[in-house]
Amino acid sequence: MTRIITLLTDFGTADGYVGELKGVLATGAAGAALVDVAHDLAPHDVDGARLALARYWQKFPNGTVHVVVIDPGVGGDRAALAVESEGRYLVGPDNGVLSPALLHPGMRCVSLPIPAGAAPTFHGRDVFAPAAAELAQGIALDALGDPLGDPVIRRTPEATRRDDGAIAGVVITIDRFGNAVTNLVARRGGTLVVGGRKIPLSRSYSDVAPGALVALVGSSGLVEIAMREGNAAVQLGVTRGSDVVLVPP
């Protein structure tokens, strides 16, 4: 079976960095299918990458190798990780970006050695890509490094129930459409309150007219605030961390 290697980085596509990664992977794992998930994440945005990874890593077949390089601490004392979780492999820095896989029971991870000749500014090319190529060739995880028992894990903040029964949460990310994704779950509907605006939960974007705000449960299962054919984050002035409240029906 052809192995799949996915790539998620903040490199952009204008400078050739992605090409260097792919060159190492194509040389070390000839025949592997290389899948570009995204390279235009905000630079150094570990939490944004963590949330992006959570959406897709389990959607790929068992044996897939996910390379994630959002690495503001490159060249420092953070560890480099290779992880096996739920039948997939992940390679990236030990800064919490791999948390979606690290949170699963039975996961295993090893600390990758840093080769003497590795550029301290580009572990994506010199550490992570070679390790991913080896995993794609069927090399065992344990052969790549020493076990690491306490990797860095970052978690999405949990919503809290207030004394009046409402649920207080926050915006956890803004997607490219300007939708403000929250940490709220709404199984019974309700009304979202953000920036003094009250927005009843709807089923889909098409439930409102173009230019109108709408709150709904997105494809991730979390409540999001959108503007049909517009940018809700700009309209409401919300950013990551902005407060939101769900008032039950």
Side-chain angles (χ1 to χ4, degrees):
M1 182 181 70
T2 300
R3 283 292 179 97
I4 299 170
I5 303 174
T6 76
L7 301 173
L8 179 70
T9 79
D10 58 357
F11 293 167
T13 56
D15 300 310
Y17 301 133
V18 173
E20 290 187 83
L21 282 187
K22 289 186 172 182
V24 172
L25 292 167
T27 300
L34 305 183
V35 177
D36 294 291
V37 174
H39 299 294
D40 53 0
L41 276 73
H44 319 304
D45 186 359
V46 173
D47 273 325
R50 171 181 65 87
L51 293 168
L53 176 67
R55 294 187 67 93
Y56 70 83
W57 75 280
Q58 288 183 281
K59 301 294 193 296
F60 281 80
N62 283 3
T64 296
V65 182
H66 298 296
V67 180
V68 184
V69 191
I70 289 77
D71 195 12
V74 62
D77 58 3
R78 65 98 182 94
L81 298 183
V83 179
E84 182 179 1
S85 181
E86 299 294 300
R88 288 88 174 171
Y89 298 94
L90 302 95
V91 180
D94 184 27
N95 59 11
V97 73
L98 302 183
S99 295
L102 295 171
L103 287 166
H104 280 260
M107 75 84 190
R108 298 187 303 127
C109 67
V110 300
S111 178
L112 299 170
I114 308 300
T121 59
F122 203 176
H123 285 184
R125 179 193 65 195
D126 297 340
V127 179
F128 302 131
E134 289 188 290
L135 289 167
Q137 292 181 92
I139 303 298
L141 180 78
D142 296 330
L144 299 186
D146 296 325
L148 183 71
D150 190 26
V152 174
I153 293 179
R154 299 170 75 110
R155 300 174 187 268
T156 298
E158 294 185 5
T160 57
R161 186 174 293 276
R162 303 190 318 197
D163 291 342
D164 62 1
I167 302 170
V170 295
V171 173
I172 59 173
T173 193
I174 308 291
D175 72 14
R176 72 180 302 271
F177 295 100
N179 300 335
V181 182
T182 77
N183 62 344
L184 296 168
V185 176
R187 296 186 176 89
R188 296 183 293 112
T191 299
L192 205 67
V193 181
V194 54
R197 303 281 292 270
K198 295 181 179 180
I199 311 170
L201 260 74
S202 299
R203 177 179 172 275
S204 72
Y205 308 111
S206 61
D207 288 345
V208 299
L213 290 168
V214 60
L216 45 77
V217 177
S219 60
S220 65
L222 298 173
V223 174
E224 62 183 57
I225 311 147
M227 172 182 280
R228 182 173 174 186
E229 299 170 34
N231 190 310
V234 171
Q235 175 72 17
L236 293 169
V238 298
T239 60
R240 186 182 298 170
S242 292
D243 293 329
V244 292
V245 175
L246 175 65
V247 180

